[in-house]
Amino acid sequence: MTTHKMASVDADENRQGSADHIQYVTVVIGGQLFGLPISQVHDVFVPEKVTRVPLAPPEVEGVLNLRGRIVTAINMRRKLHLKPNDADQGMMAVGIEYKGESYGLVIDAVGEVLNLPRAEMEVNPSNLDYRWAEISGGVHRLDGRLMVVLDVERLLSTLIEPKAA
Amino acid sequence: MDDLLREFLTETNESLDVVDVELVKFEQEPNNATILDNIFRLVHTIKGTCGFLGLPRLEAIAHAAETLMGKFRDGVPVTHEAVTLVLASIDRIKDILADLEAANGTEPDGTDRDLIDELERLALSAEADDMAAAMEEEKAAEEEVGTEVYQVLERPLRPGEVSLDDLERAFQEAEVEIEMPEPVEEAEDEGEVAAATPEAAQKTAPKKEAAKPRNPSGKGKAAQQGVSNQSIRVNVETLEHLMTMVSELVLTRNQLLEIVRRHEDSEFKVPLQRLSNVTGELQEGVMKTRMQPIGNAWQKLPRIVRDLSQELDKPIGLEMIGAETELDRQVLELIKDPLTHMIRNSADHGLEEPADRVAAGKPEKGNITLSAYHEGGHIIIEVKDDGRGLNLEKIKEKALKNGITTEAELEKMADQQIYKFIFAAGFSTATNVTSVSGRGVGMDVVRNNVELIGGSIDLRSTPGKGSSFIIKIPLTLAIVSTLIVEASGDRYAIPQLSVVELVRVQSNSEHRIERIKDRPVLRLRNKLLPLVHMSQLLGQTEEADLDEDNGFIVVMQVGSQSFGVVVDGVFHTEEIVVKPMSSMLRNINMFSGNTILGDGSVIMIIDPNGVASAMASHASSTLSDTVEDERDNEEARVVDADAPISLLLFRAGSDEPKAVPLSLVTRLEEFDVAKIEHSNGRDLVQYRGSLMPLVYVNEGDRHKSEGTQPMLVFSDNGRSMGLVVDQIVDIVEDRMNIEVVSERQGVLGSAIIRERATEVIDLGYYLPLAFDDWFMRKEIDVATKVKELLFIDDSAFFRNMLTPVLKAAGYDVTVCSNAQSAYELMEKGTEFAAIVTDIEMPDISGYEFCESLRRDTRFRHLPIIALSAVVTPASIEKGRQAGFDDYVAKFDRPGLLAALKDVLTSDMGVAA
């Protein structure tokens, strides 16, 4: 967490104004609002021509070619144990970099960018589903809805490390 | 670290490797002044640079070594001792250099006095003679006569031998014209021979003269410099980057070609063709920069072999062929260690002791040949020795001991197949672990390393003649030619390296997929090729869904293993740039990487080694299916009592078919009726050394009066019973749903089998007919009730026998073979209406099992029935104390059923 906070400050000092705010790209997954620190989001794209990877963990949607790079697409609904998306509903993906590799988090839709004060983030409620809690960095109370902060590093390490062990 | 020092380190390390090789050569050819000069120059340069950079330790060693070698140059004979010492100095220099690098340019503390003293001592011992030699030299130059050098023989003269000096004097007097030969002190024993006989020395004399130009260094140096001027040093990273960029370019070109292919007359066609050619050439050019002669990986080997030769006390020669063969830098690095290991192995195990060699009629000196050459897109490296060959018996023994194989399998294997066991993990047949090899981390590591770079390893061995290891590796790892195939709607790339051929499958042609116990195979030129469907391999489909009639078989070979992979379609071949799998997917060993195809989509690259090992495990599971005790198989079925089971259909006494679970039948026998004897009121046959009682399905039945009598033999714990039948009809796989429960003894009930009402025989009725105490010998356990019953017995026989009984009574039975697995089931939350358990079981007895269940509040009131052969008031009391609700004798099946009914209806858990 520390690293990307620092990065976000450096990257966007002007717009952000102060170091005690973090900018989030909000995404919707299964009706729930999530926030990804903008410093970690590489790009947003529509995943096309995804190649299935047999024998891969169920969360892995497949791999795809994004401007010459091979990106591993992760189905966030499956990762969060939500119902699969309707087939005809469009997909979006948020591109992120992790340990020199490219990943795409497949989500339902991308929303706006929010600038939220760091201090207002609250810890996960203790009764949060453990599968969500392990990848959630905290919760922001917004007007009328809650935004779960996605901890990208923890999200990806839960997918990589058990395999490497 | 400053640049100067870094440069120095790189250069010196390179030079030292050269020195190593040269020194070993020099030891064998002590008169080759060119070699000596080379070494001398290199060491001199190191000394000079060290002085300049202020590295006193290095300078001192280099200086001392140089002094000693200076003596050689002046004609002092080269001895083993001296060469070993110089080699030791070189090693020390390397060590210091390594520390220097690690410590960022500071020389490590320490002293090299020991080495330097030794070097100086040797140099001094030659000094006096050297001076004499020097004077002689001057004189010799004037008179055009050979130099007389004082000879040092490493051992006292034997009787009859002439000292070298005397010999030389004799020469000088006799042959004035010829320049004096240097003493012949070859590395091995030839030197002695030459020195001992004037004739031999004479023969070598002219040759030596030719090989000894007085001052060749000037010319040699010029040539060397000429070469180095034409090359520049480039950082490896720069090359790697260049390579990556070219790879990307290749991909982009492929993409463009794909687009143009779709637009027939595009104006891009011609320029694109040109771009394509240029890209191809560029790719080739860049690849070349990464290419290095394989000799670079071999550089250290002569030294290693020399050291081994001394350590093991075996004369060993190393021949290297094809050192100029080029391959990718990356590959080169990766095969260095495996090669070294194989050479060590050959020297240590491959070659016999000198005495054994002589006894076998071979030259004392063992030979190891290392060769490399190109073949197709690969490079073949062969390590061959002329030793004893692999020890087949020891390998068999070890393979059995390690449990890798069984006697039966070994029987069927060809020798060459058995040899391959040495590639299995933890396999070393060396009886003694030496410092050289035999530590059990051997050939499996070699194999892994080779396979890691997409190569394969094979071996051949002939007893008494030697063995050879053949490594086949791709020239480069970066670009691979692949075959694009389709399976289950997805495309995959298979490296062509391992593709042997393609076979089109058609149900009506000769290439047709056949099956042996569900496993697909293909007849291909008198060979039976095991097949696997790609989609099945990748877990995409079930076997049943596969289209048998159409498709292609990609025949692949990995090492010595051949197999066919069935795919739905084959497209074309494509050169692809392998990109590593994302770390999230790297654990899937079916894929070696992925890449972007010309059309922009990502494709998985199949790893032939992964497929091969999947095939192997497939095969071994097939094997265990058939070889392993059928009972285990049966057990699995019984646990799910609704699954189809094998039933043996027969007729006995009447026309209605009768059935018995096949798993209960030990074997089917036919006896000559003459062999049936009558004794003590019953029929018996002698069967496997004991008397087997015969039992008839219906009382009063008779066996046949002539011919042979078929019967079903049931055995348990060494006792057998023969059930006399009229005819064995068939073996069928069906569900045994007993629909009408029988009142008649000996029949469990009737079930529909093969669409016919069939009587299911109650074996439990017949067994006591043969031996009254059949059930007394073992504790039985039975599962319970209409609802869920858990039935625990360690004997498969009783499990198989009582399960149908309970099932017939309407219970749904789950069977466990021990209390432990019963615990596990219950922990998982499986609920049972009652438990029937055997008392006498290994590990956890029925009493303990019951007691521990009673301690758990969840199971406090669960009805539990004990089954036992021993029914005495004491044992019943013990069962009561343990918490059993009832205690039933094993043979008392009506009693068991009654007890079950009792505990389940009362549901009070009170003993009946």
Side-chain angles (χ1 to χ4, degrees):
Chain A
M1 287 299 276
T2 14
T3 49
H4 70 246
K5 277 178 196 162
M6 304 270 299
S8 73
V9 174
D10 292 343
D12 248 326
E13 197 111 26
N14 288 342
R15 268 202 292 166
Q16 225 165 293
S18 73
D20 50 6
H21 276 64
I22 302 180
Q23 279 192 309
Y24 290 101
V25 176
T26 60
V27 299
V28 180
I29 308 169
Q32 172 66 51
L33 191 69
F34 286 87
L36 286 126
I38 201 167
S39 57
Q40 295 193 321
V41 176
H42 225 249
D43 43 17
V44 174
F45 58 94
V46 179
E48 279 175 334
K49 282 215 235 178
V50 179
T51 304
R52 284 195 289 166
V53 183
L55 312 172
E59 295 88 351
V60 174
E61 180 80 21
V63 288
L64 60 107
N65 167 15
L66 184 67
R67 293 187 289 279
R69 294 201 66 171
I70 295 181
V71 177
T72 309
I74 294 159
N75 186 324
M76 286 307 293
R77 277 176 173 261
R78 228 169 285 155
K79 176 68 198 164
L80 293 166
H81 298 263
L82 296 168
K83 280 201 314 272
N85 215 339
D86 293 336
D88 51 344
Q89 203 176 325
M91 288 198 299
M92 287 297 287
V94 179
I96 48 177
E97 295 280 307
Y98 179 68
K99 291 191 176 166
E101 293 177 342
S102 307
Y103 294 92
L105 307 183
V106 179
I107 41 113
D108 299 350
V110 180
E112 56 201 326
V113 173
L114 297 177
N115 197 12
L116 300 172
R118 191 179 297 246
E120 281 182 17
M121 186 168 81
E122 296 189 20
V123 294
N124 292 328
S126 60
N127 63 346
L128 186 65
D129 186 318
Y130 70 96
R131 295 171 298 208
W132 284 42
E134 75 177 347
I135 57 170
S136 160
V139 179
H140 271 286
R141 281 174 299 159
L142 307 181
D143 261 355
R145 56 198 313 200
L146 297 168
M147 186 192 84
V148 178
V149 177
L150 269 186
D151 185 332
V152 172
E153 285 192 21
R154 269 199 272 165
L155 165 72
L156 293 174
S157 63
T158 56
L159 283 168
I160 295 171
E161 262 112 61
K163 311 296 171 200
Chain B
M1 209 189 308
D2 74 44
D3 285 345
L4 209 55
L5 192 61
R6 192 173 299 127
E7 188 80 352
F8 162 74
L9 284 172
T10 325
E11 218 165 69
T12 311
N13 273 322
E14 273 169 26
S15 312
L16 287 175
D17 284 343
V18 178
V19 171
D20 256 355
V21 177
E22 296 278 298
L23 264 174
V24 176
K25 263 200 253 164
F26 179 61
E27 196 181 18
Q28 278 152 26
E29 273 183 77
N31 298 304
N32 189 330
T34 322
I35 300 178
L36 179 59
D37 219 80
N38 259 337
I39 303 172
F40 192 81
R41 191 171 42 78
L42 288 168
V43 177
H44 184 81
T45 312
I46 295 170
K47 184 187 93 171
T49 329
C50 293
F52 178 69
L53 290 171
L55 303 167
R57 252 187 94 178
L58 284 175
E59 191 189 357
I61 306 176
H63 175 74
E66 188 196 357
T67 313
L68 180 59
M69 279 187 292
K71 304 290 177 211
F72 295 157
R73 201 153 69 151
D74 295 341
V76 172
V78 180
T79 60
H80 265 316
E81 189 194 0
V83 171
T84 308
L85 195 60
V86 176
L87 283 174
S89 324
I90 303 284
D91 285 344
R92 183 72 62 91
I93 293 176
K94 281 185 197 161
D95 289 346
I96 297 174
L97 283 177
D99 290 345
L100 200 61
E101 202 169 354
N104 232 351
T106 328
E107 238 184 9
D109 293 333
T111 171
D112 310 297
R113 208 57 248 169
D114 50 337
L115 259 182
I116 293 169
D117 281 347
E118 272 297 296
L119 285 166
E120 279 172 354
R121 187 184 60 76
L122 270 183
L124 271 175
S125 80
E127 190 106 352
D129 325 326
D130 188 37
M131 276 165 70
M135 278 162 68
E136 290 279 352
E137 216 163 306
E138 274 168 40
K139 199 174 83 193
E142 279 164 30
E143 294 173 13
E144 290 192 320
V145 181
T147 318
E148 190 186 34
V149 181
Y150 191 74
Q151 308 299 337
V152 183
L153 201 59
E154 286 163 280
R155 52 170 181 77
L157 290 176
R158 287 188 195 133
E161 280 180 352
V162 188
S163 88
L164 282 171
D165 301 303
D166 292 346
L167 201 61
E168 223 156 287
R169 206 165 300 123
F171 267 123
Q172 258 173 340
E173 281 156 17
E175 298 175 74
V176 196
E177 275 100 328
I178 296 173
E179 196 181 346
M180 204 44 231
E182 286 254 347
V184 187
E185 196 80 34
E186 295 265 12
E188 310 305 335
D189 298 355
E190 292 109 283
E192 259 174 50
V193 181
T197 57
E199 289 87 350
Q202 215 165 346
K203 260 187 248 158
T204 48
K207 195 172 87 205
K208 297 302 168 196
E209 184 193 8
K212 193 191 168 192
R214 261 282 161 237
N215 194 5
S217 57
K219 203 177 162 193
K221 225 176 237 171
Q224 205 103 31
Q225 275 167 358
V227 172
S228 66
N229 280 344
Q230 282 168 12
S231 61
I232 51 163
R233 256 174 223 281
V234 180
N235 195 311
V236 174
E237 264 172 46
T238 314
L239 281 183
E240 293 291 337
H241 183 66
L242 202 55
M243 188 68 211
T244 319
M245 296 320 291
V246 169
S247 302
E248 296 296 336
L249 185 61
V250 170
L251 286 178
T252 317
R253 178 217 38 198
N254 291 353
Q255 251 164 298
L256 283 174
L257 286 174
E258 182 75 28
I259 294 168
V260 167
R261 206 174 293 156
R262 285 202 298 267
H263 300 89
E264 274 294 304
D265 20 58
S266 164
E267 55 183 313
F268 294 119
K269 210 159 211 168
V270 176
L272 190 60
Q273 196 53 49
R274 171 121 185 81
L275 174 70
S276 175
N277 289 344
V278 172
T279 310
E281 262 172 58
L282 184 60
Q283 183 188 341
E284 209 169 292
V286 173
M287 295 287 281
K288 239 181 221 160
T289 62
R290 290 163 54 104
M291 292 300 210
Q292 288 195 324
I294 194 168
N296 291 1
W298 292 356
Q299 235 161 23
K300 291 194 165 64
L301 296 178
R303 166 81 192 274
I304 289 168
V305 171
R306 177 198 177 271
D307 290 354
L308 279 176
S309 169
Q310 296 212 311
E311 193 180 324
L312 300 166
D313 209 13
K314 294 177 187 173
I316 303 170
L318 175 68
E319 195 184 349
M320 301 193 287
I321 303 165
E324 70 289 342
T325 316
E326 288 192 324
L327 80 169
D328 194 283
R329 222 197 88 257
Q330 201 185 351
V331 183
L332 192 80
E333 284 301 317
L334 289 166
I335 58 155
K336 246 186 205 172
D337 288 346
L339 272 182
T340 309
H341 190 89
M342 286 162 70
I343 295 278
R344 278 171 181 277
N345 256 349
S346 290
D348 195 18
H349 310 312
L351 298 173
E352 312 91 324
E353 295 299 318
D356 298 341
R357 289 185 66 89
V358 173
K362 294 191 207 176
E364 196 183 38
K365 184 174 178 177
N367 269 313
I368 299 174
T369 314
L370 186 59
S371 52
Y373 54 93
H374 283 263
E375 191 187 89
H378 325 125
I379 183 166
I380 313 280
I381 306 168
E382 185 174 357
V383 180
K384 197 162 106 190
D385 64 63
D386 64 348
R388 57 170 82 93
L390 295 174
N391 187 332
L392 192 65
E393 289 311 312
K394 255 196 212 161
I395 295 175
K396 279 188 187 169
E397 200 180 295
K398 184 88 191 226
L400 287 174
K401 208 174 108 199
N402 287 8
I404 311 173
T405 184
T406 62
E407 291 268 10
E409 284 174 60
L410 275 180
E411 287 286 305
K412 285 180 272 173
M413 284 186 182
D415 289 357
Q416 298 297 339
Q417 257 177 303
I418 296 173
Y419 290 140
K420 299 218 169 83
F421 281 125
I422 64 165
F423 295 121
F427 208 98
S428 173
T429 56
T431 8
N432 296 316
V433 172
T434 68
S435 68
V436 181
S437 49
R439 280 159 300 218
V441 283
M443 298 312 292
D444 61 320
V445 177
V446 171
R447 193 199 59 188
N448 284 345
N449 283 354
V450 170
E451 286 181 353
L452 220 58
I453 52 176
S456 60
I457 185 165
D458 204 357
L459 78 94
R460 279 180 216 124
S461 176
T462 319
K465 289 272 170 57
S467 40
S468 73
F469 291 86
I470 300 118
I471 300 178
K472 186 176 180 183
I473 43 178
L475 280 179
T476 176
L477 303 181
I479 297 192
V480 182
S481 176
T482 60
L483 183 71
I484 312 293
V485 301
E486 187 187 303
S488 299
D490 292 321
R491 286 183 297 172
Y492 301 96
I494 303 178
Q496 285 210 296
L497 174 71
S498 45
V499 176
V500 184
E501 62 180 311
L502 281 174
V503 178
R504 175 91 208 242
V505 183
Q506 267 163 338
S507 53
N508 49 359
S509 79
E510 58 168 323
H511 296 306
R512 175 165 64 87
I513 298 177
E514 295 173 70
R515 279 170 188 273
I516 301 176
K517 192 171 187 294
D518 302 336
R519 307 293 179 186
V521 291
L522 175 77
R523 278 188 238 190
L524 187 67
R525 286 185 294 277
N526 306 329
K527 261 184 73 186
L528 208 55
L529 195 70
L531 299 180
V532 66
H533 281 267
M534 176 86 93
S535 22
Q536 203 188 336
L537 210 55
L538 300 174
Q540 301 282 73
T541 34
E542 288 305 310
E543 211 161 338
D545 306 339
L546 295 165
D547 181 4
E548 295 282 279
D549 299 344
N550 289 296
F552 294 87
I553 295 171
V554 183
V555 181
M556 295 173 72
Q557 178 152 23
V558 176
S560 58
Q561 206 183 337
S562 291
F563 50 88
V565 176
V566 186
V567 297
D568 302 335
V570 174
F571 298 103
H572 53 280
T573 60
E574 192 162 331
E575 295 254 295
I576 56 167
V577 180
V578 181
K579 299 194 170 205
M581 294 287 273
S582 142
S583 46
M584 201 174 284
L585 306 169
R586 213 160 281 162
N587 61 314
I588 307 174
N589 49 20
M590 256 351 136
F591 303 124
S592 58
N594 47 18
T595 194
I596 299 170
L597 282 182
D599 65 3
S601 59
V602 181
I603 188 170
M604 298 286 136
I605 303 164
I606 298 287
D607 181 354
N609 291 307
V611 178
S613 55
M615 281 297 284
S617 56
H618 219 80
S620 64
S621 71
T622 315
L623 207 65
S624 65
D625 274 0
T626 51
V627 170
E628 259 172 38
D629 195 350
E630 277 284 324
R631 291 234 165 124
D632 289 349
N633 217 350
E634 209 45 54
E635 215 172 296
R637 287 190 184 129
V638 171
V639 169
D640 176 9
D642 275 337
I645 62 169
S646 290
L647 294 167
L648 180 83
L649 298 186
F650 62 95
R651 279 184 234 281
S654 60
D655 273 349
E656 297 85 70
K658 295 183 169 55
V660 65
L662 184 62
S663 56
L664 293 176
V665 181
T666 312
R667 55 179 58 233
L668 307 178
E669 294 280 1
E670 291 210 336
F671 291 100
D672 191 330
V673 288
K675 293 223 170 115
I676 299 176
E677 299 168 56
H678 197 80
S679 157
N680 193 21
R682 58 198 313 176
D683 288 338
L684 302 157
V685 287
Q686 292 185 25
Y687 182 67
R688 300 190 166 194
S690 61
L691 281 174
M692 177 171 80
L694 300 188
V695 175
Y696 298 91
V697 174
N698 302 306
E699 231 171 302
D701 278 2
R702 297 288 309 147
H703 60 79
K704 292 184 185 176
S705 50
E706 57 184 27
T708 55
Q709 174 65 58
M711 58 186 73
L712 315 181
V713 178
F714 302 91
S715 301
D716 184 46
N717 258 356
R719 292 208 207 182
S720 299
M721 172 196 98
L723 185 70
V724 178
V725 300
D726 298 343
Q727 188 195 358
I728 289 162
V729 179
D730 203 356
I731 292 169
V732 298
E733 191 105 339
D734 210 332
R735 265 171 250 276
M736 192 177 71
N737 284 331
I738 294 174
E739 310 202 340
V740 182
V741 179
S742 168
E743 296 293 307
R744 191 150 56 96
Q745 284 196 319
V747 180
L748 285 175
S750 299
I752 301 172
I753 295 168
R754 277 241 195 127
E755 293 164 5
R756 281 201 64 177
T758 306
E759 285 180 6
V760 179
I761 290 298
D762 175 10
L763 203 57
Y765 167 74
Y766 294 103
L767 290 178
L769 293 185
F771 294 97
D772 296 342
D773 59 348
W774 191 297
F775 290 113
M776 304 293 277
R777 294 161 43 241
K778 268 238 91 248
E779 298 282 335
I780 300 191
D781 68 346
V782 179
T784 341
K785 187 139 165 158
V786 186
K787 298 147 205 173
E788 308 285 326
L789 275 196
L790 178 62
F791 170 36
I792 308 145
D793 193 313
D794 60 309
S795 152
F797 186 84
F798 285 107
R799 283 201 302 275
N800 284 333
M801 209 199 67
L802 286 172
T803 308
V805 173
L806 293 167
K807 229 185 146 237
Y811 296 104
D812 190 351
V813 186
T814 303
V815 183
C816 287
S817 58
N818 55 54
Q820 189 54 46
S821 50
Y823 281 140
E824 281 160 19
L825 264 181
M826 299 181 74
E827 276 311 312
K828 266 194 274 167
T830 317
E831 289 191 8
F832 299 101
I835 298 176
V836 175
T837 177
D838 186 13
I839 292 293
E840 281 142 31
M841 290 187 293
D843 300 332
I844 304 169
S845 78
Y847 294 126
E848 289 170 64
F849 177 61
C850 185
E851 277 166 14
S852 60
L853 284 185
R854 289 298 181 227
R855 281 195 291 274
D856 192 319
T857 49
R858 286 174 295 169
F859 309 123
R860 189 154 290 158
H861 301 295
L862 181 68
I864 307 177
I865 295 174
L867 273 183
S868 175
V870 192
V871 185
T872 62
S875 66
I876 291 173
E877 182 51 35
K878 193 175 174 199
R880 216 179 277 277
Q881 277 170 13
F884 280 109
D885 295 306
D886 206 343
Y887 199 97
V888 182
K890 269 193 173 177
F891 55 84
D892 186 9
R893 284 169 308 112
L896 173 64
L897 296 179
L900 274 172
K901 205 171 158 194
D902 212 67
V903 294
L904 287 168
T905 46
S906 73
D907 226 18
M908 292 301 291
V910 179

